[in-house]
Amino acid sequence: MSSFGKIALFIDGANLYATAKALGFDIDYRRLLGEFQSRGTLLRAFYYTTLIEDQEFSSIRPLIDWLDYNGYTVVTKLTKEFVDATTGRRKVKGRMDVDLAVSAMELAPHVDQIVLFSGDGDFRSLVEALQRRGVRVTVVSTLSTQPPMVADDLRRQADVFMDLAELRPKLGRDPVERTGSRELRQPPQFLARGAIKRDDRVE
């Protein structure tokens, strides 16, 4: 497999979770890191996600803590839940798009390749801006669902498109682990910072 040179991963956490769920599998984040370390010099792996403000417990918290101690740079933002006055529906205010874009542009002079785990079409202009700075951009999402999880203009703008469905054998959690793991479902308790060792797996 050809080397990517110096690589940085930018993971839109909510988007990747939704994509993997649509494909029917869980991401093994240790294997994901290892896969791209084998493809080049991995400088950074960023994971972006939102947390709901004033929520005493978030089901994603144990995953965030595990990632933080196992080679990922986790970037979180507090969001607010509100009720839309027009529709009466509960909505969440707050996105990570700008935070991700700013970090990617700052890192651009130091990498050869950025791998973006997202199918969000809002990132097309970011991809184009990175390419103007000489950075190759790989987008990871899927065309294997109906409708596809990746925006067509984002897929076309990318230098390389990787379908997450084809990466499943390399990035998917083993079935044995999956049945016992609650990492991405309903973790039983908050894992305090410092309680996780580098070789631990979140249960």
Side-chain angles (χ1 to χ4, degrees):
M1 190 173 291
S2 61
S3 173
F4 277 21
K6 294 178 183 175
I7 315 168
L9 308 183
F10 285 83
I11 300 171
D12 176 347
N15 195 284
L16 177 58
Y17 174 77
T19 302
K21 186 176 180 182
L23 291 170
F25 74 99
D26 294 336
I27 298 290
D28 184 324
Y29 287 95
R30 190 190 304 280
R31 292 175 72 181
L32 187 154
L33 210 59
E35 173 64 22
F36 286 91
Q37 284 170 336
S38 73
R39 295 180 179 231
T41 303
L42 183 59
L43 297 185
R44 289 283 186 279
F46 293 95
Y47 184 94
Y48 292 82
T49 193
T50 55
L51 296 171
I52 298 175
E53 193 175 53
D54 300 326
Q55 191 176 69
E56 194 169 317
F57 173 77
S58 172
S59 60
I60 199 173
R61 193 80 217 188
L63 172 62
I64 290 171
D65 286 339
W66 187 91
L67 293 171
D68 197 29
Y69 280 92
N70 287 274
Y72 289 84
T73 300
V74 178
V75 183
T76 61
K77 176 187 282 186
L78 291 177
T79 63
K80 292 185 177 181
E81 275 192 318
F82 68 98
V83 177
D84 188 301
T86 308
T87 64
R89 292 182 179 175
R90 186 178 294 275
K91 292 189 175 181
V92 176
K93 183 178 182 181
R95 295 179 53 145
M96 300 295 293
D97 296 15
V98 173
D99 305 72
L100 189 155
V102 169
S103 294
M105 292 302 291
E106 287 176 343
L107 204 59
H110 309 287
V111 296
D112 303 304
Q113 180 100 204
I114 280 179
V115 182
L116 175 64
F117 288 80
S118 183
D120 190 339
D122 289 345
F123 287 124
R124 190 207 64 79
S125 57
L126 168 63
V127 172
E128 186 178 25
L130 289 167
Q131 291 167 333
R132 286 198 300 267
R133 284 157 178 76
V135 177
R136 287 178 57 80
V137 181
T138 294
V139 166
V140 181
S141 186
T142 190
L143 290 166
S144 302
T145 55
Q146 289 299 327
M149 296 293 286
V150 63
D152 188 60
D153 54 351
L154 177 65
R155 181 180 63 84
R156 290 173 182 272
Q157 186 67 49
D159 294 292
V160 176
F161 173 73
M162 289 185 177
D163 199 306
L164 189 63
E166 295 174 11
L167 292 172
R168 179 175 183 165
K170 294 181 178 180
L171 307 186
R173 185 175 300 286
D174 291 333
V176 175
E177 291 182 13
R178 190 178 178 191
T179 54
S181 174
R182 291 185 292 267
E183 182 176 306
L184 291 179
R185 293 192 286 281
Q186 294 178 347
Q189 61 187 10
F190 173 79
L191 297 177
R193 192 170 174 84
I196 306 173
K197 298 184 178 66
R198 185 164 286 273
D199 294 328
D200 287 348
R201 178 168 58 84
V202 173
E203 292 291 348

